[in-house]
């Protein structure tokens, strides 16, 4: 070899203090020497152990000998002819080899050409590899190792495969070398000038493989074809690893370069803008922004001091810190709250009345109370007054009334549904120590409204949850109490906010479900259900025009007369409100829209005869059992959260020779079960007066059933109805047709007043009753009812069951 690679670090036994330039000059001198005639190699060799590298023949290599026993070994070898055997000794300890198994069995005979002394006392010996040797046995191991060796020859199989492997190894070596710039062109030139395939394998393994564990098996392999195959496999693995590393490095470099490019560009833009006075640091920019808002707005002194303190604290937090956005959001909330921003009430009572009449039909009492409330607000703007609570069945217009109030006052409207709420933090907010903390929904709505006096509708207040997770109804006490809400403390803001200017309006379906402390703070306005005439007018004035607009129909395409609307109300919807009516009208509009889209020409007017085509068969019809009840059946009036209803009570005799017991079924509560026993005891005590066979009532078992058994029923108001059903069964007399009753009965037959008269009267009107029996003490409630509700009904006011007996049975007045 006439030219060597510039870097021989793979074979070096030097440390960082070694004189590498001197080693390189010595190697060049050796390479320039003329070839000498080979003599017989010695069979007994001094062996030098190599800890971290594997030698190969025909290569020039520096060997580092540490001061001490290693220098002694090399000096001994030089004294006996400058030849030494280099053996890889992976098991050698710090004190030198002590056992034969510390050495590998195959090494390289080298000639020591020059010694270079190093400043630290160590020495570098420049050696030229001669040939492989195999250790037959060790003559001496400790001190200066000596071994008897033999010199095997390379085996060259006669086949073309060796040549192919040789070319492949050369190609792979050049590719691997291209990934190591330090090898340069000298490596490729030297590899191309090696003729022997075995020497090429040794050369490539020596300079391109990194692990000594891979090199030693190659050194020990005498079959050149197998040696080339081993080198080929090792170089292939190395090349794949290098290519993968280059690809990873390329991706990392591209990503870093892109990030650095973006960073430098942004920094340049930032510097340019700063020089032009257009750019500031984030903390300085936020500081100026917040202080500017503070100066421009009007805030209480306590809030202003808090904002300034938080701005100063924000300036000491690094912008990249996780705490920075938390502190910034808090300041933003403080500045965005309308602490001193109010909207001016524009109360025009005539205009408010027009709005109420425009959006709602009927509800005379509710409209009158709303106008009274607005009149007081107009005369005394600072008047807080009671909190309004609209109570009524679904679909009667509770929420839309609240919206009309906000419109008539010129205030912003916010709505909050309380149904299913179980966490008081929804009302009072979370403390800022929690991740993602926010103020409560009350203050969130105030911020959205932009004023501190909006109208806030608390919908479904009777459906608040209460369990181990929290009690939001207790948190609402502070919000709704006029004596406390002037200093409402939200846990997030940690500052008092005045809610006394906010107008709260709540809605509920069942008054009894509202917690008592909350109910005491409200003024209850009941919204009963609508009668048929009112529903027809609502459908004609409001629902039909709205559905025509939503379905893209012109009024000339569809007309629903009053008679058709009345049929829909009576036979397709039975409810207190009008949501079912609106759905039925929407169904008719959808089908008419489809007909128009298909270019059909249906009749413009939808009559009652057409309803089965659009809505299907009627869902409700006059029940002959209800309107003309048989003996043992009585009709009672009930009050539910969805309005009034007509309740059917059935009584039969189950055992002629029993003990006079009463059985009840139909999901009854304790109070209603007691009413059954009270009515039975009363009839037993007065059997002669009512014409009941004493033996029959004392020996016959009665069974009372209340249909719709899946619906829970309770309350005392069915007392006279239960007694009438029992009396009808025991006497065999039928009650008057189209008659319903309500009233609590005592053991002495007195009839006590009940609640829900308006809803019950409306239910009687809706179901086609003609006579209604109510307690005498409820006469005042009937007088307060709208004449439209009571028209066509005959009322019997009773204070004792004797009067009931005369009013309900046919042939008696």
């Amino acid at each position: 070899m006439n030219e060597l690679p510039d870097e021989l670090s793979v074979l070096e036994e030097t440390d960082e203090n070694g004189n590498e330039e001197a080693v390189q000059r010595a190697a060049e001198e050796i390479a320039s020497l003329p070839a000498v005639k080979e003599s017989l190699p010695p069979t007994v060799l001094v062996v030098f152990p190599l800890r971290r590298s594997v030698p190969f023949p025909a290569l020039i290599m520096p060997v580092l000998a540490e001061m001490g026993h290693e220098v002694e070994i090399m000096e001994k070898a030089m004294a006996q002819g400058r030849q030494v055997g280099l053996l890889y000794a992976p098991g050698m300890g710090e004190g030198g080899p002590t056992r034969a198994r510390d050495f590998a069995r195959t090494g390289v005979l080298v000639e020591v050409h020059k010694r270079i002394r190093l400043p630290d006392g160590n020495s570098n010996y420049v050696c030229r590899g001669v040939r492989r040797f195999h250790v037959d046995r060790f003559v001496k191991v400790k001190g200066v190792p000596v071994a008897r060796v033999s010199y095997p020859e390379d085996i060259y199989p006669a086949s073309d495969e060796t040549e192919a492997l040789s070319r492949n190894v050369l190609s792979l070596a050049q590719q691997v070398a291209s990934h190591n710039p330090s090898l340069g062109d000298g490596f490729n030139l030297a590899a191309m000038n090696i003729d022997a395939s075995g020497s090429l394998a040794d050369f490539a393994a020596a300079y391109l493989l990194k692990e000594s564990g891979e090199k030693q098996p190659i050194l020990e392999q005498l079959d050149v074809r197998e040696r080339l195959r081993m080198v080929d496999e090792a170089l292939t693995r190395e090349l794949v690893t290098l290519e993968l590393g280059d690809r990873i490095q390329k991706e990392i470099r591209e990503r870093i370069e892109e990030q650095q490019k973006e960073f430098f560009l942004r920094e340049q833009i930032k510097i340019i803008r700063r020089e032009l006075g257009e750019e500031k640091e984030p903390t300085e920019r936020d500081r100026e922004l917040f202080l500017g808002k503070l100066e421009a707005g009007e805030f209480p002194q306590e809030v202003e001091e808090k904002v300034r303190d938080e701005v100063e604290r924000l300036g000491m937090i690094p912008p990249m810190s996780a705490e920075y956005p938390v502190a910034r959001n808090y300041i933003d909330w403080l500045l965005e709250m309308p602490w001193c921003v109010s909207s001016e009430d524009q109360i025009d009572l005539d205009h408010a009345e027009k709005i109420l009449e425009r959006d709602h039909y009927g509800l005379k009492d509710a409209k009158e109370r709303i106008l009274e409330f607005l009149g007081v607000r107009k005369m005394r703007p600072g008047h807080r007054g009671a909190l309004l609570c609209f109570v009524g069945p679904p679909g009667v217009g509770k929420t839309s009334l609240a919206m009309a109030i906000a419109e008539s006052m010129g205030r912003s409207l916010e709505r909050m549904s309380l149904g299913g709420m179980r966490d008081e933090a929804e009302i009072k907010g979370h403390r800022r120590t929690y991740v993602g903390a926010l103020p409560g929904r009350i203050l969130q709505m105030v911020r959205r409204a932009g004023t501190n006096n909006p109208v806030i509708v608390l919908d479904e207040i009777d459906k608040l949850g209460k369990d181990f997770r929290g009690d939001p109804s207790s948190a609402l006490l502070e919000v709704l109490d006029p004596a406390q809400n002037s200093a409402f403390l939200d846990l997030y803001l940690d500052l008092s906010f005045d809610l006394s200017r906010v107008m709260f309006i709540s809605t509920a379906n069942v008054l009894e479900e509202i917690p008592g402390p909350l109910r005491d703070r409200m003024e209850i306005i009941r919204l009963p259900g609508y009668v048929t005439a009112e529903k027809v007018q609502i459908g004609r004035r409001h629902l039909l025009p709205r559905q025509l607009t939503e379905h893209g129909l012109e009024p000339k395409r569809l007309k629903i007369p009053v008679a058709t609307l009345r049929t829909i109300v009576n036979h397709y919807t039975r409810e207190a409100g009008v949501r079912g009516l609106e759905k039925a009208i929407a169904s008719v509009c959808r089908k008419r829209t489809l007909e128009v889209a298909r270019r059909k020409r249906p009749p413009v007017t939808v009559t009652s005869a057409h309803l089965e085509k659009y809505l299907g068969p009627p869902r409700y019809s006059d029940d002959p059992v209800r309107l003309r009840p048989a003996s043992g059946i009585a009709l009672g009036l009930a009050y539910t959260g969805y309005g009034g209803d007509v309740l059917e009570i059935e009584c039969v005799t189950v055992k002629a020779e029993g003990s006079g017991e009463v059985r009840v079924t139909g999901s009854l509560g304790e109070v209603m079960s007691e009413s059954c026993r009270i009515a039975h005891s009363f009839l037993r005590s007065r059997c002669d007066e009512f014409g009941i066979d004493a033996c029959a009532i004392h020996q016959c078992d009665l069974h009372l059933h209340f249909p719709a058994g899946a619906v829970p029923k309770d309350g005392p108001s069915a007392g006279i109805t239960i007694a009438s059903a029992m009396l009808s069964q025991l006497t065999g007399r039928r009650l008057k047709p189209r008659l319903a009753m309500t009233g609590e009965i005592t053991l002495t037959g007195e009839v006590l007043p009940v609640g829900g008269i308006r809803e019950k009267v409306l239910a009687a009107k809706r179901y086609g009753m003609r006579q209604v029996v109510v307690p005498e003490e409820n006469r005042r409630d009937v007088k307060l009812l709208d004449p439209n509700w009571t028209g066509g009904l005959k009322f019997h006011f009773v204070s004792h069951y004797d009067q009931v007996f005369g009013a309900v049975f046919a042939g008696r007045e």
Side-chain angles (χ1 to χ4, degrees), residues 15-227:
D15 58 13
E16 59 185 2
N17 296 322
N19 191 341
E20 296 182 3
E21 294 183 0
V23 173
Q24 184 66 23
R25 287 195 302 270
E28 292 176 357
E29 293 176 4
I30 296 171
S32 63
L33 293 175
V36 297
K37 185 178 180 180
E38 293 186 1
S39 59
L40 292 176
T43 57
V44 178
L45 280 177
V46 175
V47 175
F48 185 85
L50 299 177
R51 288 193 183 92
R52 294 181 295 274
S53 63
V54 177
F56 281 92
L59 298 178
I60 297 174
M61 66 200 80
V63 177
L64 175 65
E66 295 182 354
M67 183 174 59
H69 72 281
E70 292 187 355
V71 172
E72 181 182 354
I73 294 174
M74 294 302 291
E75 292 299 323
K76 184 73 172 178
M78 293 183 66
Q80 295 183 0
R82 292 182 175 271
Q83 290 185 330
V84 65
L86 300 182
L87 271 179
Y88 177 51
M92 183 178 67
E94 293 296 329
T98 59
R99 300 168 299 180
R101 62 171 177 267
D102 291 341
F103 292 93
R105 308 303 288 187
T106 301
V108 174
L109 173 66
V110 300
E111 293 180 351
V112 181
H113 286 269
K114 191 170 185 179
R115 176 184 180 183
I116 302 173
R117 300 180 185 276
L118 302 178
D120 58 359
N122 299 334
S123 297
N124 245 336
Y125 294 88
V126 181
C127 306
R128 184 206 297 262
V130 178
R131 62 185 300 175
R132 284 176 172 79
F133 68 81
H134 178 75
V135 177
D136 295 330
R137 67 184 181 88
F138 281 95
V139 178
K140 182 181 179 183
V141 174
K142 295 182 179 181
V144 178
V146 178
R148 184 174 294 277
V149 300
S150 59
Y151 300 92
E153 298 291 337
D154 288 346
I155 302 172
Y156 285 87
S159 66
D160 296 334
E161 184 180 0
T162 303
E163 180 63 24
L165 285 170
S166 178
R167 294 181 180 181
N168 197 39
V169 167
L170 178 60
S171 175
L172 288 171
Q174 293 174 340
Q175 295 180 54
V176 173
S178 66
H179 289 81
N180 189 355
S182 62
L183 292 178
D185 296 333
F187 178 87
N188 293 334
L189 183 61
M192 293 174 62
N193 290 324
I194 298 175
D195 296 328
S197 299
S199 299
L200 177 62
D202 294 342
F203 183 78
Y207 287 103
L208 301 179
L209 300 185
K210 297 180 179 180
E211 299 295 332
S212 299
E214 283 185 313
K215 295 180 180 180
Q216 184 62 32
I218 295 173
L219 179 66
E220 295 174 355
Q221 183 58 252
L222 299 179
D223 190 318
V224 174
R225 181 173 58 190
E226 291 301 321
R227 190 189 307 167

Side-chain angles (χ1 to χ4, degrees), residues 46 102 394 428 434 478 540 551 575 597 676 725:
V46 175
D102 291 341
K428 295 182 68 67
Y434 295 102
E478 182 183 359
R540 183 178 67 86
H551 290 84
E575 57 178 349
C676 295

Side-chain angles (χ1 to χ4, degrees), residues 261-304:
K261 177 182 177 182
E262 182 179 355
F263 173 77
F264 288 134
L265 289 176
R266 290 187 182 277
E267 288 298 317
Q268 290 175 355
I269 293 174
K270 189 183 297 184
I271 293 173
I272 293 172
R273 287 182 175 177
R274 189 180 300 125
E275 291 296 327
L276 294 175
E278 299 177 358
E279 180 71 19
K280 295 182 176 64
E281 292 294 328
T283 53
E284 184 64 25
R285 184 175 62 248
D286 289 341
R287 176 187 174 86
E288 293 184 3
L289 174 65
F290 292 143
L291 293 180
K293 288 184 177 181
L294 188 63
E295 297 296 332
E298 184 179 356
F299 299 92
Q301 182 178 358
E302 182 184 10
V303 176
E304 184 174 346

